[in-house]
Amino acid sequence: DGELAALGSVMNEREAGQFALASDLVDAFEPGKSGNPLRVSLKNARAKQGAIELATEREKAALEGRVQFLEKEMAMMGSGRMVTIIEVRWFRGNTEMSECIANWNQQIISGMLEAFATDPDPTMRVNLKPHNMACVSPRVFWNVVRHGKIGPTKSFETALKEMVPSANWDVLLSRNQVEHEEGRYRL
């Protein structure tokens, strides 16, 4: 009565509870385990921080003109049809990075930007800011850099205004994305 068996020994309920808690703690931090909510949360936070830092470095490389776009032919799986992709080579500090992106033409990119700019969802509009774009969609970001010829002599704002002149880029790229009427401000 009140005794539980674990690992071939007899223990009371308190000892069994302590053993179970210790076992759960060991399982929670065992390498390769990802079902633990705390472990998953920490992993996601590290991944998000890494993505934010990478976006900052992408934006910096673009503005400094430390980016190359190389066209490459690639056979599609299944059909074997050849398609052109773009390899983006850029520098993160002194390390050369490489990413492959779709070879979208300027008309497609301009259409995408216009659709995002007029989307009723504020999240879509806020993702037009260069840093956010570099974080959530590197393919769109690098195509904007490529077609907008962004670099030391051309800003993102100038390029975006040229690519989609109908959008209100002053508002879209502002901190809170709200048009200000004379004398009225939204904080």
Side-chain angles (χ1 to χ4, degrees), residues 84-104:
T84 303
I85 62 165
I86 305 298
E87 180 185 9
V88 182
R89 291 189 184 166
W90 59 283
F91 283 89
R92 184 177 189 184
N94 292 326
T95 304
E96 186 176 54
M97 306 293 286
S98 176
E99 297 178 63
C100 290
I101 61 170
N103 184 22
W104 294 327

Side-chain angles (χ1 to χ4, degrees), residues 26 38 41 71 75 83 96 106 113 121 136 153 163 176 181:
V26 168
L38 174 62
S41 178
E71 288 189 7
V83 295
E96 186 176 54
Q106 186 168 345
L113 293 172
D121 181 0
V136 299
T153 59
M163 293 173 85
N176 59 9
E181 294 178 33

